[in-house]
Every structure is written in structure tokens, then in C-alpha cells.
Amino acid sequence: MKRKSFLFEVWPRFAYKHARWVLLGTVALVVGFGVLYGVAGGDYSDRFTVPHAEAQELFDLLEQRFPSQAGDSAIVVVKADDGVESEGAKAQLGALIGNLGTLPHVTGVSDPLQNPSDISSNGQIARLTVQYDVRANDLGTGDNTALLDTLDTASAPGFQVEAGGPVIEEFEGEPPGSSEAIGISAAVIILLLAFGSIVAMGLPIMTALLGLTSGFFLVSVGAGFVPLPNFTAQFAAMIGIGVGIDYALLVVNRFREAEAHGRSNQDATLVAAATAGRSVFFAGGTVVIALLGLWASGIESIGWVGTAAALIVLLTVLIAVVVLPAILRYVGPFVDRWRIPILAAPATDLHKGFGYRLSRIVQSQPLLCLVLSLGMLLALTAPVLDLRTGTSDAGNNPTSFTSRRAYDLLSEGFGPGTNGPILVGLIIDNPSAIDKVNALPAELKSLEGVQQVSGVTFNQAQTAAVITVIPTSAPQDQGTVDLINLLRKDLRADFEGSGARPLVGGSTALFIDVGSHVDARLPIFLGAVIALSFVLLMAVFRSILVPLKAALMNLLSIGASFGILVAIFQWGWLGGILGVSREGPVESFLPMMLFSVLFGLSMDYEVFLVSRIREEYVATGDNTESVARGLAATTRVITAAAAIMVCVFAAFGLSNQRVVKEFGIGLASAILLDATVVRLVLVPSLMQLAGDWNWWMPRWLDRILPRLHFDGHALDDPTIPVVAGGSE
């Protein structure tokens, strides 16, 4: 007698029988998470710790030997129409400096009237440095609000006051909810088209929101204990909404099909859990593993972002597998109620329909279809050859942000480089090096690309010194990157054996180090994720060609999405339409993070499609017919699932934050290409050309590989067709 699976057969029966207690327990857990969030919820941060990076060493140096310079700062910019040295402006400026000096954690405020270099050449713009004794992510919401309130109080007609710098940029951001609402609204429309029923549409939405709410509570609590960047919530929500709706969609779709074959509400629930539930578990597990692989970056913040997203994906999987059977106990009998008359949702016919007809067209000219689709993907991938990673600056923020207005005023009054000062620090172990350190500013002024150099500031023991270098180019420009690299190379050689060790840091330098660190580990990460998925797919499909094809196709769709990002954000194509105000680099941590998400999601669709083709091939032995039937069986559900993800991700592409916009557009374009060009054209053409070789595996390899079955057996009832991925 076959041993029953606890998670996919025993538990669903229990959950259905005791649905009331399962649902009450679920509600109690969510409420408990909400209470925990209210008590221990933390703030997100933008603090990156990059082990062994030069910029990180400089931060550590400041904390140890120069605590007065270790905190972050805010740059307050004033524009006075009558000039900052007019009598009225002087009084307003003095009051502003006094009020800023009383703010919590502020150790000092510079006075531009005492330093002519802090006043623009036309006399209208002045800058003040507000130094804090802690890093920006250690400030509370009240501290940031106090700063903004002080700016608002000081602003008056003819006297504009704005602020930028890490303290402000840490606090500013887009309030959550707008992109999520747009994505969910689009999902409602797509689910209505897929199911034709308001009740069936509502089930995936409800379960996705259940998982997303629980995940948001837990991730926000985690933000109080670990460094989570301020885009974490939106990134995790983006992934959670997409997969949460998709996974529930697959289970509900399989439930409806079982009911259509005459099964009772209970049996249809058990069939859906045993078949689609297994596929969801495998697919979600793949995404979780890929996201946790971000720890391979060696950067704690990136690893925690991946963990936060993985937690939300795991919760959506558990809700689809563990909680949804209980929900179907009460909602199942009404799943097709409130139907929309003009939206029919017929059962899939394996011998006709769009998917079947398209497959036959592709199979009639497989080589031509292969060449055309492959050429299209390669053309979209080509811009990757010009990929430049780095960090975008506040000049990309919307003008509604005070940091953007401060950026523009600083650029107008002092040049764009003022927005991204480079910090040169020196560890002085031998007092004889002090004279050489004092002579350094004059040497730095002669370098190409340097606009201004401050004097040397020593700590009390004269064991450390800092110099601020203002470049002529903006923080995100290649010229600033080149200057940082030049400074590091020249200073290292110049101070060798002098008794002082130079370090070049600052925000821009830190992200250069992040990019270098990620680039060095990216091949290991890619190799590990691809190898693991390759072995898993071999074990599932008993084939070498199928997992090889899957890996190559996924890499193509991901590469094409990277190419689209380069064209939009680096080259500025369609920038005006998509709200990209300036050309600039792609965020240094983005390639690894996008790959982890996209490879997992692309593997989902590969599993849903190829498992159905494999099932038909085992039944018929006809490769051509099995490909056509498999495409016909899965086109509707995969198209609906992919369309939901594309809309959800594209909604985040409307974000005001550049990094969130990059994530949204990158994910949406990759899923769109994967679900159309790859799944509808490339896969069937390749499988048609390969013929029976699709399912070949050496006997010795077949013997040593474990056998993984995740499609279930429809509770051992041969009258119910077993359909992997919840599709028939």
C-alpha cells in the first residue's frame, strides 16, 4: 500500500474536516503577527556593510578614531532671492542655524557666513552641514521629522530651505500601498477573464493578501534587529503579491476542474491539494532557494533582503497548501457563483484552442521559429555588453522630494559634484607622516576631475585625519568613479612606507565596492543556482536535454531583461514615458537580486509546462502530439499567472524610487518574455526538433538520481486526470 504524503494528502483531509479550527488558528496567527509588529516593528535602513571593502574600512576608522566624524550628515541648502548676505537673510540664516543646533543627535552646524566657499558665486545659495553623532539608520522617525519641521518653519517667500544628504535620503521614500493597489487591481481583471466568476477571482486575491500581510508584519519586526534596506518592503511585496496570487490560482483552477469531472467539494479539494499543491510546493521551494542564495553575495543587507522575500514566498506557499483546503470547505460550493455572463471559462480541450493551434504552427516550421525567437532575445540581450553598475544619486528623485530640490540647488550653486563628496581618510601610525598629510590637499587640487579640496581635519590624538574632495562630476557619473579609482591607486603608492595609510570612501565609493564585491561572487552564485536547478529537473523529468534547455532559456529571458534595463536606465530610451529623469548606472546589487528572483519564477513556468508535456508523452509515446497537448493544457493558466505577475511588477515600475522602478521593469519584462517568446515559441520549437531525445537519459545516471514526484496521483483515482501545475 502506498504511503500517503502528510502535507499533500493527510493534512488537506484534516484541514477540510476541521476547517473552522484551521481558519480560526490562521486568523489568530495573523493577529498575533500584527500585535508583534505594533510592539517590536523596526525601521528600514540603507546601511550596507561590505566586508574588507576600502570604504567600509574608512567607516570603521571614523567610528574608532574619529567619533565626531563617524555619524552621517544632512546638507541644508538655502536660496535667498536678495542674497544670503543681505540683512534679512542673515537674520533668517542665524535663526535656522540656532534651531538646527538644538536638534537631537546634532553635534554641530556649519555657518556659511564664516566660510565663503559655502556661498555660491552669485551670492544667492548657501550650504550648511548638519553633523549627527550617529548613522542615518540609527535615527528614529521623530528625529527626521524634527529636521523637516525645522526646514518648514524656516522657509519663507524669497528664502527657500531644502535638505539632502544621507539623513534625509534615509527618511524619504514612497509610502507603501500605491503600487500594490495597482497590481492587485490588474490581477482582479485578469482573474475575472481567467475564471469568469467573482468568487473564483476573489480566492487567489484573498490568500495572497493573507500571506502578504503576515509577511509584512514579520519582515517589519525583523527590520528592528537586522539591517534591511528601505526598499525591502516593496521588493518583498512585489514578489509576494505575484507568487501568492499565482500559486492560489493554480490550486483553485485544479479544484474547479475536479468539480467539473463530477467530484464532490471535499474530493475536489483533496485532488487539488494532492496535485496542484505539490507543484506549488516545488515551484515555491525553488524560488525560496534562489532568494536565499543571495547570501552568496557576502553582503549582509542583500542577504537579508533575499531572506525577507523568501519568507513571504514561503508564507504564500504554506497558505496555498495548508490553509486553502480549509477555505475551500466553505467557499468551494460557491466557487462559480456570481458569474460574469460575457466571460466564459471553459475547461481546456487538449485537441483545440489557442495553445494547440499555436503549437501546430510552431511545429510545422520549428527551425524558422527557433531562429526568429532566438534572434529577438539575443537582440534584446545585446545592450548588456554596455552594462555599468553603480549607484544612482538624489538627482533621480521626484521633485516632490526635498532631497531632489536640494540636489538641484547644490548643482546650480556649487556644481554637481557637491552632491557626492569623496572622503579621504588617513590612519596615522607614525607622527613623522603628519607633514606629508598636511601637504596632501594641495596635491589633490591638481588632479583632473577635482573641483575643490577641504583642509585636513585631525582627531585629537592626531592618529587619524580626513579630507573632503569635491569632484567636478555628479555622484553617479563615470567621471566620479574614475576619480575614486585614481585616488585609491595614486594615494596607495604615494603613502607607501610613510607611516600613514590612506583610505578613500564615501557613499559613492561604498557602492563601487559593493559592485566589485558582487561581481566577484556572481559567477559562483550563478553556477550554484543553475547547477542545483539542473539536478532537480533531471531528477523530476528523467532527462538531460530538458533541464539543459530550461537553464539556457531562463538565462536568455533574464539576459534580455537586463538588456532592457540598460537601454532604459543607462541609455535613456523611453525615459520620458517611464518616468526616468536621468541616465545613470544600474544599481550594483540589482543583477544578482534580479537573477535570483527571475530564475526561480522562470523555473516555475518550466515545471508547469514541461511536466504536462511529460505526462502526455508517457501516456502516448508521441513527442509531437504531447508537445501540442501540453501547450494546449497549460497555455490558459500560465498566461493568466504570467499576466498577473507582469501587471504586479509593472505597477512597481511606476514607483518614484529609481531602484524600485528598476526592479519592477526588470521583473515585468523578463516574465513577459518568458511566458510568451520562450514558453510559446522557443520551448515547443526546440522540443519538436529534439524529438524523443527530449527524454533521453543514460541508464547509469537514471539509477543514481533520486526520483522526485510532485504531481500526485489524484488520490489514486484513475477517473480524475492528474494535471501537474493545476491545469488540464
Side-chain angles (χ1 to χ4, degrees):
M1 182 177 178
K2 182 177 76 70
R3 183 179 179 182
K4 291 186 177 181
S5 165
F6 173 80
L7 189 58
F8 305 113
E9 294 176 337
V10 177
W11 170 260
R13 191 179 298 276
F14 175 87
Y16 189 92
K17 184 177 180 181
H18 304 282
R20 179 182 303 174
W21 294 110
V22 171
L23 294 178
L24 286 175
T26 302
V27 171
L29 275 176
V30 175
V31 172
F33 293 156
V35 172
L36 186 62
Y37 164 71
V39 173
D43 294 323
Y44 297 95
S45 73
D46 265 337
R47 184 171 184 176
F48 276 82
T49 300
V50 188
H52 311 299
E54 185 168 333
Q56 186 64 50
E57 285 189 68
L58 180 55
F59 282 131
D60 297 339
L61 163 70
L62 294 177
E63 288 181 347
Q64 295 168 10
R65 301 194 183 189
F66 223 139
S68 64
Q69 298 288 323
D72 279 321
S73 63
I75 305 299
V76 174
V77 190
V78 172
K79 183 175 184 179
D81 293 345
D82 296 332
V84 294
E85 295 184 287
S86 64
E87 290 303 317
K90 281 183 179 180
Q92 291 172 295
L93 196 58
L96 174 61
I97 292 173
N99 291 333
L100 289 172
T102 64
L103 295 178
H105 297 289
V106 171
T107 60
V109 182
S110 66
D111 184 352
L113 298 178
Q114 304 299 320
N115 187 1
S117 64
D118 285 337
I119 299 177
S120 64
S121 57
N122 65 4
Q124 289 186 319
I125 299 175
R127 61 188 176 196
L128 299 76
T129 300
V130 183
Q131 184 66 45
Y132 284 77
D133 60 6
V134 295
R135 297 290 298 276
N137 62 295
D138 294 324
L139 292 171
T141 302
D143 299 321
N144 300 108
T145 302
L147 174 58
L148 292 177
D149 288 345
T150 302
L151 302 182
D152 290 340
T153 302
S155 296
F159 191 79
Q160 180 183 359
V161 184
E162 307 292 350
V167 170
I168 289 294
E169 291 172 26
E170 172 72 26
F171 181 65
E172 278 187 319
E174 187 176 39
S178 55
S179 297
E180 290 88 339
I182 295 172
I184 291 175
S185 300
V188 167
I189 297 172
I190 294 167
L191 288 171
L192 281 176
L193 293 173
F195 288 142
S197 159
I198 293 178
V199 176
M201 171 274 294
L203 268 178
I205 299 292
M206 178 178 65
T207 55
L209 290 177
L210 190 61
L212 185 65
T213 303
S214 304
F216 174 77
F217 288 152
L218 292 178
V219 170
S220 296
V221 170
F225 300 94
V226 298
L228 288 174
N230 58 13
F231 63 82
T232 302
Q234 286 183 296
F235 175 73
M238 191 188 316
I239 308 303
I241 292 174
V243 300
I245 295 175
D246 275 11
Y247 293 163
L249 162 66
L250 296 168
V251 176
V252 172
N253 188 63
R254 187 65 185 93
F255 170 84
R256 294 176 69 246
E257 290 178 2
E259 275 202 329
H261 282 83
R263 303 296 288 182
S264 67
N265 185 68
Q266 178 175 345
D267 285 349
T269 300
L270 300 180
V271 168
T275 55
R278 291 176 188 260
S279 294
V280 164
F281 189 81
F282 179 86
T286 304
V287 177
V288 168
I289 290 172
L291 287 168
L292 292 178
L294 287 174
W295 282 102
S297 68
I299 299 174
E300 187 181 14
S301 296
I302 293 179
W304 283 121
V305 171
T307 303
L311 174 63
I312 289 184
V313 172
L314 179 61
L315 287 172
T316 62
V317 170
L318 290 177
I319 288 171
V321 173
V322 176
V323 182
L324 194 52
I327 296 175
L328 288 172
R329 162 74 182 271
Y330 296 109
V331 181
F334 312 102
V335 73
D336 285 325
R337 296 286 180 89
W338 298 348
R339 294 184 64 84
I340 309 299
I342 60 173
L343 300 178
T348 302
D349 192 328
L350 298 182
H351 303 283
K352 62 181 181 181
F354 173 76
Y356 190 86
R357 292 193 299 271
L358 177 63
S359 180
R360 285 307 193 189
I361 293 173
V362 172
Q363 288 173 316
S364 66
Q365 296 290 336
L367 187 58
L368 176 62
C369 291
L370 174 65
V371 171
L372 291 177
S373 56
L374 191 59
M376 174 185 173
L377 290 175
L378 290 175
L380 291 173
T381 304
V384 174
L385 298 174
D386 190 40
L387 174 65
R388 180 169 73 89
T389 58
T391 180
S392 54
D393 55 39
N396 296 281
N397 291 342
T399 54
S400 59
F401 285 16
T402 185
S403 60
R404 168 61 187 275
R405 297 192 295 271
Y407 181 99
D408 292 340
L409 286 177
L410 284 172
S411 297
E412 177 188 343
F414 306 97
T418 313
N419 289 287
I422 300 169
L423 197 61
V424 177
L426 296 110
I427 301 174
I428 304 172
D429 296 320
N430 189 336
S432 63
I434 291 177
D435 290 340
K436 186 173 180 61
V437 172
N438 277 320
L440 184 56
E443 297 177 18
L444 295 178
K445 287 179 182 178
S446 64
L447 292 178
E448 183 180 355
V450 172
Q451 175 180 310
Q452 184 181 340
V453 180
S454 72
V456 182
T457 302
F458 290 93
N459 65 349
Q460 187 172 3
Q462 290 195 318
T463 58
V466 292
I467 302 169
T468 301
V469 178
I470 305 298
T472 57
S473 51
Q476 70 180 29
D477 291 350
Q478 184 62 39
T480 303
V481 176
D482 294 339
L483 177 59
I484 290 172
N485 291 331
L486 177 65
L487 286 171
R488 286 177 168 177
K489 178 183 176 182
D490 288 357
L491 291 178
R492 194 175 297 118
D494 190 31
F495 277 84
E496 185 175 2
S498 67
R501 183 162 71 94
L503 297 169
V504 178
S507 298
T508 305
L510 179 63
F511 277 92
I512 292 174
D513 293 338
V514 169
S516 299
H517 200 79
V518 170
D519 289 345
R521 293 182 175 234
L522 190 58
I524 299 173
F525 170 74
L526 297 181
V529 172
I530 293 173
L532 178 60
S533 61
F534 185 85
V535 172
L536 286 174
L537 288 181
M538 277 202 302
V540 170
F541 295 120
R542 321 310 294 177
S543 164
I544 290 180
L545 191 60
V546 166
L548 179 62
K549 170 188 61 63
L552 293 176
M553 295 304 98
N554 291 346
L555 287 175
L556 274 174
S557 59
I558 294 170
S561 72
F562 285 176
I564 291 172
L565 288 179
V566 171
I568 293 173
F569 291 94
Q570 275 187 227
W571 298 353
W573 292 8
L574 303 177
I577 298 174
L578 298 174
V580 180
S581 57
R582 293 174 62 212
E583 301 170 12
V586 173
E587 250 58 33
S588 53
F589 50 82
L590 199 77
M592 181 177 284
M593 295 186 70
L594 275 181
F595 180 87
S596 67
V597 176
L598 291 174
F599 199 86
L601 296 180
S602 297
M603 201 58 70
D604 288 358
Y605 297 141
E606 180 74 13
V607 169
F608 299 147
L609 172 59
V610 178
S611 61
R612 190 65 180 87
I613 294 175
R614 172 68 177 172
E615 180 184 336
E616 289 297 325
Y617 182 78
V618 170
T620 65
D622 185 337
N623 180 75
T624 299
E625 183 65 16
S626 65
V627 170
R629 289 187 180 188
L631 206 64
T634 57
T635 294
R636 184 184 186 89
V637 70
I638 287 181
T639 300
I644 290 170
M645 282 203 183
V646 168
C647 289
V648 169
F649 296 153
F652 283 86
L654 303 175
S655 171
N656 285 331
Q657 293 178 278
R658 181 183 173 100
V659 62
V660 176
K661 187 185 292 288
E662 286 176 309
F663 275 125
I665 293 175
L667 290 168
S669 57
I671 296 300
L672 178 63
L673 291 170
D674 191 81
T676 54
V677 179
V678 173
R679 301 298 159 212
L680 297 181
V681 182
L682 259 182
V683 170
S685 62
L686 276 172
M687 296 191 77
Q688 176 66 22
L689 290 170
D692 291 339
W693 286 100
N694 284 309
W695 316 109
W696 175 82
M697 174 180 280
R699 291 183 179 178
W700 64 268
L701 186 57
D702 185 61
R703 287 194 299 269
I704 64 175
L705 275 178
R707 294 184 177 273
L708 301 180
H709 299 288
F710 60 90
D711 56 348
H713 299 281
L715 302 180
D716 297 323
D717 188 343
T719 65
I720 300 297
V722 179
V723 182
S727 196
E728 181 183 43

